[in-house]
Amino acid sequence: MKRSLAVFMCQLIALLAIGLPHWLWAADNGLSLGVLAFRPKPETLVRWQPTVDYLAAKIGCPVKLVALNYPELEAAIARRQLDFVLTNPGHYVLLTQRNGLSSPLATLIGEENGQELSQFGGVIVTRAERADIATLADLHGKTVAATDAGSLGGYEAQAYELIQAGFSMPGEVNLQITGMPHDRALAATDSLTKLANRRYFHGQLKQEWARLQRSGGPAALLMLDLDHFKQVNDSYSHAAGDAVLRRFAELVSASLRKTDQAGRLGGEEFAILLPGADHAGALEFAERLRARVAADEIAYDDRELRITVSIGVAELAKSDATAEVALARADAALYRAKANGRNRVETG
């Protein structure tokens, strides 16, 4: 698996001449070569610098290496700011269509496992411990991470396979766009609750804030804290506390729409992002979840445990200077909910 991925992302490159006049190639400032940064940019630059040095020595002029993500690379090509591009073959196909390029596809190898590399396919990777996912059919209702919904090799080929398997895309899977690098999706989930971890949730919140700045529209944020959670750990055990956290996460997940995002920020503190929800909708969601948690019984070691949750609600506003401003309002509302007796919802 590792060799196959390395071949497609590293060895198979598309070398595109952007079509600038030849006299520009010999300009004093040299050539510019943009490379798709599917790893962190500093790592990408280190990886490709020997290639750039070799090219510069062979053609006798300086070559400047620039590491760019998908949107940056697309924009640079559209503005004709690059002389050459290094990217994966699937992206090459899209670039030629979108930008009217006609450069040939240059690859370092012509076949893999006896199959000619003239067609593109996708790879869906799962964690080794996920025994419940063995076939494509097992992905119904699961969360699927993709680097970019516009990537032929990174999403569209996989989406095609899922559609062939009878899926309605993206409705029957929970699609999460992670961006580059690919493997950060594997570090996006809290191992105990299976919700998004703190870092990933904050990233999603910042993306929603940025969307709000561009397009407007409602969105809401909830901060949640399990009431008297320490007593569960002290009275029963930390294993009981883990069981409570897992069950709470299940109740949260069952309450979410496909567009919502829940995360564990740490300990017994959680957050929920509700894109498209106004103040009234967010309050209704919060109260419904609060009541559902209070009514639930958690089976643990021949006991039935009960918990309650305090919730703070805040709307994201276009006037917010940063996403953290809305987070602070929701956190202040959560503090009031706990100060006013717990097991309640407050707004900020």
Side-chain angles (χ1 to χ4, degrees):
M1 176 66 75
K2 290 182 178 179
R3 181 176 181 273
S4 178
L5 290 175
V7 166
F8 273 91
M9 295 308 297
C10 299
Q11 289 180 301
L12 288 184
I13 63 174
L15 183 58
L16 281 66
I18 300 305
L20 296 181
H22 179 78
W23 60 269
L24 284 177
W25 296 5
D28 291 338
N29 58 353
L31 299 173
S32 59
L33 189 153
V35 58
L36 176 62
F38 63 90
R39 300 294 306 161
K41 290 182 180 180
E43 181 180 333
T44 300
L45 293 173
V46 170
R47 174 173 295 191
W48 288 105
Q49 191 59 50
T51 301
V52 170
D53 294 340
Y54 174 83
L55 289 174
K58 287 296 183 181
I59 64 179
C61 78
V63 178
K64 179 183 178 181
L65 177 64
V66 185
L68 303 168
N69 59 31
Y70 271 118
E72 292 169 344
L73 192 58
E74 297 263 359
I77 292 172
R79 292 194 292 263
R80 295 300 193 261
Q81 293 175 333
L82 300 170
D83 299 302
F84 296 94
V85 171
L86 288 168
T87 186
N88 62 64
H91 194 212
Y92 160 81
V93 173
L94 292 179
L95 290 177
T96 58
Q97 294 295 319
R98 292 171 179 170
N99 298 280
L101 306 177
S102 59
S103 304
L105 176 66
T107 64
L108 297 182
I109 60 174
E111 64 178 40
E112 168 71 5
N113 295 328
Q115 185 175 10
E116 291 188 5
L117 296 174
S118 58
Q119 298 179 338
F120 306 115
V123 177
I124 297 177
V125 182
T126 64
R127 289 181 178 272
E129 67 270 17
R130 291 300 298 270
D132 58 319
I133 302 178
T135 68
L136 289 179
D138 297 327
L139 292 174
H140 278 279
K142 300 295 194 301
T143 297
V144 176
T147 57
D148 186 284
S151 169
L152 179 62
Y155 169 71
E156 294 182 7
Q158 294 95 325
Y160 174 77
E161 294 294 333
L162 290 172
I163 292 171
Q164 292 294 100
F167 282 73
S168 173
M169 292 294 292
E172 292 184 299
V173 297
N174 178 22
L175 179 65
Q176 291 189 3
I177 302 301
T178 66
M180 294 290 191
H182 316 68
D183 53 7
R184 72 180 181 184
L186 300 178
T189 305
D190 175 65
S191 59
L192 177 64
T193 64
K194 308 306 179 185
L195 299 178
N197 62 23
R198 183 184 187 93
R199 182 191 59 79
Y200 185 80
F201 181 85
H202 276 275
Q204 295 295 103
L205 175 60
K206 289 178 180 178
Q207 286 186 30
E208 180 62 18
W209 172 84
R211 185 204 62 77
L212 193 75
Q213 303 308 303
R214 295 191 306 269
S215 309
L221 177 66
L222 278 60
M223 290 286 289
L224 309 92
D225 192 274
L226 299 186
D227 300 325
H228 304 297
F229 179 74
K230 186 176 183 299
Q231 293 180 9
V232 176
N233 284 334
D234 293 344
S235 301
Y236 301 103
S237 67
H238 284 280
D242 288 349
V244 166
L245 292 172
R246 283 193 294 268
R247 178 55 182 164
F248 176 72
E250 290 173 359
L251 294 174
V252 169
S253 297
S255 303
L256 300 178
R257 304 167 300 171
K258 292 185 180 299
T259 55
D260 300 334
Q261 177 72 65
R264 183 187 180 196
L265 304 189
E268 68 271 27
E269 189 175 68
F270 296 80
I272 300 175
L273 181 63
L274 302 175
D278 59 14
H279 184 261
L283 277 179
E284 181 182 349
F285 174 92
E287 181 56 37
R288 186 168 60 247
L289 177 60
R290 183 207 63 77
R292 187 174 188 176
V293 171
D296 192 62
E297 293 183 346
I298 303 169
Y300 176 75
D301 195 21
D302 297 327
R303 294 185 175 90
E304 297 293 337
L305 305 180
R306 288 184 176 274
I307 58 170
T308 59
V309 61
S310 298
I311 306 176
V313 178
E315 284 190 275
L316 274 71
K318 198 168 185 178
S319 59
D320 291 336
T322 65
E324 285 70 21
V325 174
L327 194 65
R329 285 200 304 274
D331 196 47
L334 171 61
Y335 178 83
R336 287 195 298 275
K338 298 183 78 68
N340 290 335
R342 295 182 169 85
N343 188 25
R344 60 185 294 121
V345 177
E346 295 282 351
T347 63

